[in-house]
Amino acid sequence: MKRLALAGGLAAAAVLVLVVITGQGGALTAAVPAALAAMAIVASWPPPGRAAARGRAVLLLLLLPTLLHFHAGGGRISGDGVSYYVYVRSLARDADLDFTNEYTHYGLIDREDIAVPTRTGLRRSIFAVGPALVWMPFFAAGEAVARAAALLGAAPDLSGYGPYHVNAVALGSLLLGFAAVLLMYAVAVRHFEAGVALLAAAAVWLATFLYWYMVQQPTMSHAPSAFGAALAVWLWDRDRERRTPAGFLLLGLVVGLAMCLRWQNALLGVLPVLDLVAARSAGLRRMALGAAALAAGALLGAFPQMAAWHVLYGEWVLLDPPHGADFLRLGRPFVLETLFSTRHGVLSWTPVLWLGYLGLGPLLRTRRDLALPLLIPAVAMTYVNMCSGDWWAGGSFSNRRFDSLLPVLAPGVAASIEWLAALVARRPALVPVALALAA
């Protein structure tokens, strides 16, 4: 029975994906396969002894209304999303990084920062190449659906600018964001009860800017970046006690790829470095092998971005951000503005992240081996974001540059939930008091 439910659920999910990519119909059209998929999830519900699997099933159920919202009322390309999309279209269609035709299509070719070619004769881009790399399979899926529609007598836009390709790439970002949620849940459930881990993952997903960049501005880098960071944290946490040189190579590769998605993700490399330092008692030879494997993996993972810089700017490594030397001023942090300003201050716009930061305290007391390493990238990434010339992150929803921090702060959110639950159990009278104050 469960196998039949699984097969039916996969078929319903495939239909839902086709509806989203083709853009046909409204919410009701997508609701039918979504409802069938939900019925399949419920029919194959894990037994009581598998609490972690039940949490994943709840998250899958929450994905379905997210897909309906995305299909019927979500965004596609806007803002900086255009500058990320031109990468995938240029790589897939033209097999190059000459954005002249893409910029012309989107009316950007005469913009002051783009009009003058770089030293290599190409148009500049200040954005990362990584999102295009992880979007390529989704672009290919859009191409396949468009070709199939053409064979059936439709007239889809096959240029790479049309709705089939854009919808598929945007859906890819949504799914990558959801994969980040699953990875954050997987890390949390290793260290907390499944109910606490589920609440933490749902809070980071639904009560932060992540949902917005999965549904409303999916062709920006933030959902893929959250995925890359979450994958790095998950892999780091999984094998900490028994990581071999091959494991360090793989982790370095993932960190390097995460850096291609958003450059500040390179700071996650501090996690395996700390493991190497902590394992120095195992011998210098083993430590040197791990360090060499980590460096080789990171270099290989970061190579696509280095190659893109070389093509666009003639340099393998940029000493200053392509935005300009003054874009990042590490000696001039905007501390209060970045955290508390009404202009996209991360804690004023996204209060749930208070739980993430403050939760590092109880996490240090109860799970010190997890908290201490995470504390360093949490502080470092926060500080780097404070030092940006436009600390408000332009036309951001909340402060989108904290996407890489979501997997780092998720265990802190879980620790806060655990602490609050224990407090309520000891003093239940605090609940009506808190509700009255909130009202």
Side-chain angles (χ1 to χ4, degrees), residues 176-223:
L176 288 168
F178 181 69
V181 174
L182 291 178
L183 289 167
M184 287 185 275
Y185 171 73
V187 172
V189 85
R190 286 185 196 136
H191 301 278
F192 298 88
E193 292 182 359
V196 171
L198 176 60
L199 287 174
V204 172
W205 174 19
L206 302 173
T208 72
F209 48 82
L210 179 57
Y211 186 90
W212 175 272
Y213 287 103
M214 289 169 60
V215 173
Q216 295 298 339
Q217 291 187 290
T219 55
M220 295 185 70
S221 67
H222 304 290

Side-chain angles (χ1 to χ4, degrees), residues 5 8-9 12 31-41 64:
V32 174
L36 292 173
M39 291 169 61
I41 293 171
L64 297 174

Side-chain angles (χ1 to χ4, degrees), residues 246-270:
F248 277 108
L249 178 70
L250 177 60
L251 184 52
L253 180 66
V254 170
V255 171
L257 288 172
M259 187 277 286
C260 290
L261 294 166
R262 278 187 72 77
W263 303 321
Q264 70 180 42
N265 287 343
L267 292 170
L268 294 170
V270 74

Side-chain angles (χ1 to χ4, degrees), residues 402-418:
F402 283 75
D403 53 27
S404 312
L405 270 164
L406 296 180
V408 174
L409 295 177
V413 174
S416 289
I417 292 171
E418 183 181 65

Side-chain angles (χ1 to χ4, degrees), residues 321-335:
H323 311 65
D326 291 336
F327 180 75
L328 189 65
R329 293 167 285 188
L330 293 177
R332 188 183 174 188
F334 296 90
V335 178

Side-chain angles (χ1 to χ4, degrees), residues 75-295:
R76 294 299 182 264
I77 296 183
S78 63
D80 293 342
V82 173
S83 298
Y84 284 107
Y85 187 80
V86 299
Y87 265 107
V88 68
R89 196 269 169 196
S90 190
L91 286 170
R93 273 286 180 269
D94 305 332
D96 62 28
L97 292 179
D98 183 352
F99 304 132
T100 302
N101 51 338
E102 285 82 14
Y103 285 153
T104 300
H105 175 82
Y106 287 112
L108 300 175
I109 194 66
D110 294 323
R111 203 172 74 183
E112 184 178 356
D113 60 328
I114 290 173
V116 179
T118 67
R119 59 184 283 193
T120 62
L122 299 178
R123 308 290 173 159
R124 74 193 290 260
S125 173
I126 63 173
F127 299 96
V129 70
L133 301 180
V134 296
W135 287 337
M136 289 290 278
F138 300 102
F139 188 95
E143 176 75 7
V145 173
R147 294 285 180 182
L151 289 175
L152 293 173
D157 184 343
L158 298 175
S159 66
Y161 299 112
Y164 283 45
H165 298 86
V166 172
N167 286 340
V169 167
L171 176 62
S173 263
L174 186 151
L175 295 177
L176 288 168
F178 181 69
V181 174
L182 291 178
L183 289 167
M184 287 185 275
Y185 171 73
V187 172
V189 85
R190 286 185 196 136
H191 301 278
F192 298 88
E193 292 182 359
V196 171
L198 176 60
L199 287 174
V204 172
W205 174 19
L206 302 173
T208 72
F209 48 82
L210 179 57
Y211 186 90
W212 175 272
Y213 287 103
M214 289 169 60
V215 173
Q216 295 298 339
Q217 291 187 290
T219 55
M220 295 185 70
S221 67
H222 304 290
S225 173
F227 166 73
L231 181 60
V233 172
W234 173 81
L235 187 61
W236 164 76
D237 181 63
R238 187 188 66 171
D239 296 324
R240 293 181 64 195
E241 304 299 327
R242 57 186 186 280
R243 185 166 293 119
T244 62
F248 277 108
L249 178 70
L250 177 60
L251 184 52
L253 180 66
V254 170
V255 171
L257 288 172
M259 187 277 286
C260 290
L261 294 166
R262 278 187 72 77
W263 303 321
Q264 70 180 42
N265 287 343
L267 292 170
L268 294 170
V270 74
L271 295 173
V273 169
L274 290 173
D275 288 346
L276 284 169
V277 173
R280 61 188 181 278
S281 59
L284 288 178
R285 182 176 180 276
R286 186 175 179 83
M287 183 179 175
L289 283 174
L294 178 65

